[in-house]
Amino acid sequence: MKTIVLKVDPISPEPKVISRAARLIMEGETVAFPTETVYGLGADATNDGAVKKIFEAKGRPPDNPLIVHISSIDDLNRVACNPSPRVVEFVSYYWPGPLTVIFRKSEAVSYLATAGLDTVAVRMPAHPVALALIRASGKPIAAPSANLSGRPSPTSAEHVLEDLDGKVPMVLDGGETHFGVESTVIDISGDRPVLLRPGPIPSAELTPLIGEFGEPASFLKEKPVAPGMKYTHYAPRAPLTLVMGKPNGIVDKIVHLAGNPNRGGIGVLCTDETFSRYPDTFVRVSLGSRFAPYGMLRNLYKCLRLFDKLGVSEIYAEGVDEVGINITLMNRLRKAARKVVDS
Ligand code: TXA
Ligand code: MG
């Protein structure tokens, strides 16, 4: 299949471009598009055949459910069954935005999209291109991140093409995404809210509104709560070792673990503050400044993919203290890591 790449204005998407993409969605095809988190691979969430194409293109295990994207609060009633007024009030506060919430699924949503579950994950993205595409197609759009299963999520159209060129009919290229990691996923249907996946909204920002997060309810524990979280994720090709501790200790540990710095192929995912402390024989890639955690988050997947292009044979990554938004960075780094060691 030939993949058509269309440039689209991320602020005022051209109606012509959007209507071409929307037509594909209406015809039961897939389209990759930017959101404010990462690029998604979308299809009509109410069409089994269309949803199946997402799983095929990504090589995604069929027991890992998708997020359904809507463009207005009214759409919620199409995809969720009797959402409670309390939950609607809460999501209205965050939507459009990088927050995904679990609801009881409506009949309209394909069981393939929810992987057979009676619940559905719903999000209203903030990106103008995503919103325009959902509106123009008139469909709720099921969309996981637009990467091959197990690979880092794409934060640009180039990343989507690295993984899915020839496997999807269209990619809308709206430039780099803003947050660079996937949405925060929560379940607030029970007595205590459950954080299924940390994301761009720190949990400390949510708890004043919904209460402290509890442990996953016991009936859910038998199954993984966010089925996707059990799979290897976000991984670059070379094995990654995550080193925890304080910056100075981390640098010493990484230099020690790497051994002879002249042997080549040693990648280090460092920070602006530590970059110059590594031998220049290392392939050094900085995530950004430790003082700008959102910037580090935004660069993470791009940096992991860069190591693939630079062809390193091993990667060492610096850990950061797990507080605030760095909880999200560390969640993704831990999932990308083959090994976690202390310095
Ligand atoms: O930012 C994002 O969320 C991006 C953009 C495209 O919106 N999408 C994304 O989708 O990251 P995906 O498929 O890569 O991750 C969806 C996560 C998975 O961990 C999945 O298991 C979980 O949401 N999930 C989906 N439906 C669920 C459900 N009914 N109950 C619990 N977890 C669910
Ligand atoms: Mg994903």
Side-chain angles (χ1 to χ4, degrees):
M1 170 189 315
K2 170 118 185 65
T3 301
I4 297 167
V5 183
L6 294 180
K7 287 252 183 227
V8 61
D9 186 324
I11 300 167
S12 317
E14 297 83 349
K16 260 196 179 155
V17 175
I18 295 298
S19 66
R20 261 184 87 176
R23 208 170 318 131
L24 281 177
I25 298 284
M26 290 185 272
E27 287 166 0
E29 293 298 329
T30 59
V31 173
F33 60 96
T35 80
E36 75 279 28
T37 56
V38 298
Y39 273 70
L41 180 62
D44 178 356
T46 65
N47 176 336
D48 285 344
V51 172
K52 196 158 168 253
K53 289 177 186 167
I54 296 178
F55 284 90
E56 284 167 359
K58 281 183 59 93
R60 182 174 175 110
D63 63 347
N64 190 3
L66 310 179
I67 294 173
V68 174
H69 298 70
I70 58 174
S71 62
S72 74
I73 285 282
D74 289 343
D75 286 353
L76 188 56
N77 293 306
R78 290 175 68 190
V79 298
C81 190
N82 296 324
S84 82
R86 179 183 73 92
V87 178
V88 173
E89 188 189 338
F90 169 73
V91 294
S92 305
Y93 186 77
Y94 278 99
W95 286 352
L99 182 73
T100 297
V101 179
I102 309 298
F103 294 90
R104 204 141 275 285
K105 131 189 200 317
S106 75
E107 265 179 37
V109 174
S110 161
Y111 266 116
L112 292 181
T114 66
L117 297 174
D118 287 318
T119 53
V120 59
V122 185
R123 169 163 117 80
M124 189 197 300
H127 199 292
V129 172
L131 288 171
L133 181 64
I134 300 163
R135 274 190 204 116
S137 66
K139 308 282 185 193
I141 295 185
S145 48
N147 51 281
L148 285 177
S149 205
R151 301 266 302 137
S153 293
T155 60
S156 68
E158 291 74 44
H159 295 166
V160 177
L161 291 170
E162 279 166 20
D163 284 15
L164 299 178
D165 195 11
K167 295 194 158 106
V168 299
M170 184 177 285
V171 178
L172 293 181
D173 179 357
E176 281 194 35
T177 61
H178 176 73
F179 289 108
V181 291
E182 310 84 351
S183 60
T184 302
V185 184
I186 61 171
D187 184 351
I188 46 177
S189 61
D191 294 340
R192 306 277 304 266
V194 180
L195 180 64
L196 299 176
R197 178 174 72 184
I201 304 175
S203 49
E205 198 183 299
L206 297 169
T207 46
L209 293 166
I210 56 174
E212 292 293 327
F213 286 103
E215 287 296 308
S218 58
F219 76 93
L220 281 168
K221 269 189 184 158
E222 288 140 39
K223 294 187 208 161
V225 273
M229 299 313 269
K230 71 172 184 263
Y231 295 103
T232 323
H233 261 83
Y234 322 119
R237 295 207 170 85
L240 185 147
T241 302
L242 174 60
V243 182
M244 304 298 295
K246 295 284 164 227
N248 284 344
I250 292 174
V251 173
D252 292 345
K253 181 75 178 188
I254 289 178
V255 171
H256 173 76
L257 285 172
N260 178 358
N262 295 318
R263 88 191 142 79
I266 304 164
V268 56
L269 183 61
C270 57
T271 48
D272 289 355
E273 290 74 25
T274 54
F275 186 92
S276 62
R277 305 211 203 158
Y278 294 98
D280 59 10
T281 45
F282 282 14
V283 178
R284 296 170 292 181
V285 174
S286 175
L287 266 184
S289 170
R290 285 175 170 262
F291 304 120
Y294 278 96
M296 293 169 73
L297 204 54
R298 177 187 198 149
N299 290 332
L300 177 65
Y301 291 145
K302 184 166 58 177
C303 292
L304 293 179
R305 281 179 180 263
L306 182 59
F307 281 119
D308 290 341
K309 282 173 214 145
L310 297 169
V312 296
S313 55
E314 61 202 69
I315 302 167
Y316 298 92
E318 295 182 359
V320 293
D321 288 343
E322 275 161 287
V323 289
I325 196 62
N326 279 343
I327 292 171
T328 301
L329 181 74
M330 290 305 294
N331 171 266
R332 302 306 194 270
L333 271 175
R334 283 180 189 281
K335 286 184 182 292
R338 201 72 65 86
K339 247 194 317 196
V340 182
V341 300
D342 286 320
S343 58

